[in-house]
Amino acid sequence: MKLLEVFWVFLKLGLTSFGGPVAHLSYFHHEFVSRRRWIDERAYADLVALCQFLPGPASSQVGMALGFSRARYLASLIAWIGFTPTSTLILVIFLLGSTKWSEVPHPSYLHGLKVAAVAVVAQAIWTMGVKLCPDRPRLSIALVVATSALLINSAFAQIALIALGAMAGLIFLKKEQPLPHVPYSIKSSRVHGFIFLVFFFGLL
């Protein structure tokens, strides 16, 4: 029953979540934190932070982790099948249809889609930012890192900025009031964890 629930929820999100990975995280928050309460607010924030630090699309990683928290390994795969291939298939169908329908390289409707996408992503960032940066020190770290990321256009710079953000948190947030925290529970053995870490670094 849980597996069917996981597949249906992620299939629905795969068909209706517009705006890319950042916006997807906002949709996930609404669906799994606010509405279904599969995961706590702060545990979700921790999970998002971890997946942003890993290579690859954060929304797919968060989705698989949420599926895992619901019904372990098979649910993780089902969550991915319901969400990622669905949206990919829609993209391919739209791309093929639009190129056959119009010979114009950059039709005006694509510009409208870009503008709408900016609005959707901005709304997602604002929604999460208000909750994750409730005071001046946290807001300052976020603004400094965001500004630096805009000025330094490099993949390695992004990794360095995330690492510097973690260091800044250790240094400047020790005296701040800690946010309510509920650890994200992973029911897996140490042996499984070691095997997955070996696979992770091997793939990386």
Side-chain angles (χ1 to χ4, degrees), residues 85-99:
T86 302
S87 54
T88 303
L89 179 61
I90 292 174
L91 171 63
V92 171
I93 292 172
F94 177 79
L95 179 63
L96 293 174
S98 62
T99 52

Side-chain angles (χ1 to χ4, degrees), residues 68-142:
F68 183 89
S69 69
R70 193 66 177 165
R72 296 180 61 79
Y73 297 104
L74 185 56
S76 181
L77 178 61
I78 287 175
W80 180 82
I81 291 172
F83 183 76
T84 305
T86 302
S87 54
T88 303
L89 179 61
I90 292 174
L91 171 63
V92 171
I93 292 172
F94 177 79
L95 179 63
L96 293 174
S98 62
T99 52
K100 294 295 182 182
W101 176 60
S102 175
E103 297 298 329
V104 183
H106 298 288
S108 57
Y109 70 84
L110 281 179
H111 182 69
L113 287 175
K114 287 187 235 180
V115 174
V118 169
V120 171
V121 173
Q123 188 273 338
I125 293 173
W126 176 260
T127 300
M128 296 185 67
V130 169
K131 294 178 180 179
L132 297 178
C133 304
D135 49 43
R136 186 174 296 176
R138 292 179 177 90
L139 181 61
S140 299
I141 293 173

